[in-house]
Amino acid sequence: MTMNEIDEPVRAELNRLRESIDNIDAAVVHMLAERFKATQQVGHLKAEHHLPPADPAREARQITRLRQLAESARLDPAFAEKLLNFIVAEVIRHHERIAEQTGNGTPGTQA
Ligand SMILES: C=C(O[C@@H]1C=C(C(=O)O)C=C[C@H]1O)C(=O)O
């Protein structure tokens, strides 16, 4: 069976679910954009005050908190942790770039 041969009620249900998925994906993009706006400001603050781009202790607290939230939401905690690590790695790259551009690189302290 191909996607073109789906019965109408099944097609309607698939479309309904996909509309919901599209709304959720849009919300995720908007939430990530807001998060990166905040982390960019943190990057500038750190560069101005010669603070290192990464803060492993803060990350450890976030992972603990996010894993607990994931468990209560019935989301795989390992997935939540991987997702956070992926996002944080990108944030740290941004912070390193901001520090370089500001001339405030802190050699030996970068992740
Ligand atoms: C945003 C920060 O910088 C880095 C990025 C983090 C994040 O994206 O949540 C957390 C810790 C830091 O390694 C911060 O220190 O708060």
Side-chain angles (χ1 to χ4, degrees), residues 35 39 42 46 53-55 58-59 62 88 91-92 95:
R35 192 184 199 282
T39 56
V42 170
K46 285 179 172 177
D55 183 342
R58 159 82 173 149
E59 291 169 31
Q62 286 168 287
V88 169
V91 170
I92 291 170
H95 287 187

Side-chain angles (χ1 to χ4, degrees), residues 40-86:
Q40 285 296 96
Q41 291 177 56
V42 170
H44 285 283
L45 198 62
K46 285 179 172 177
E48 277 165 32
H49 297 276
H50 303 271
L51 296 167
D55 183 342
R58 159 82 173 149
E59 291 169 31
R61 290 194 299 276
Q62 286 168 287
I63 286 169
T64 302
R65 176 172 174 267
L66 218 74
R67 288 187 67 102
Q68 285 165 355
L69 286 172
E71 266 173 44
S72 19
R74 295 181 179 279
L75 179 72
D76 179 1
F79 171 76
E81 180 171 347
K82 263 194 272 178
L83 181 62
L84 184 72
N85 283 335
F86 181 71

Side-chain angles (χ1 to χ4, degrees), residues 23-43:
N23 285 343
I24 292 165
D25 287 349
V28 167
V29 166
H30 287 129
M31 286 190 290
L32 279 176
E34 282 305 304
R35 192 184 199 282
F36 275 97
K37 271 191 215 168
T39 56
Q40 285 296 96
Q41 291 177 56
V42 170

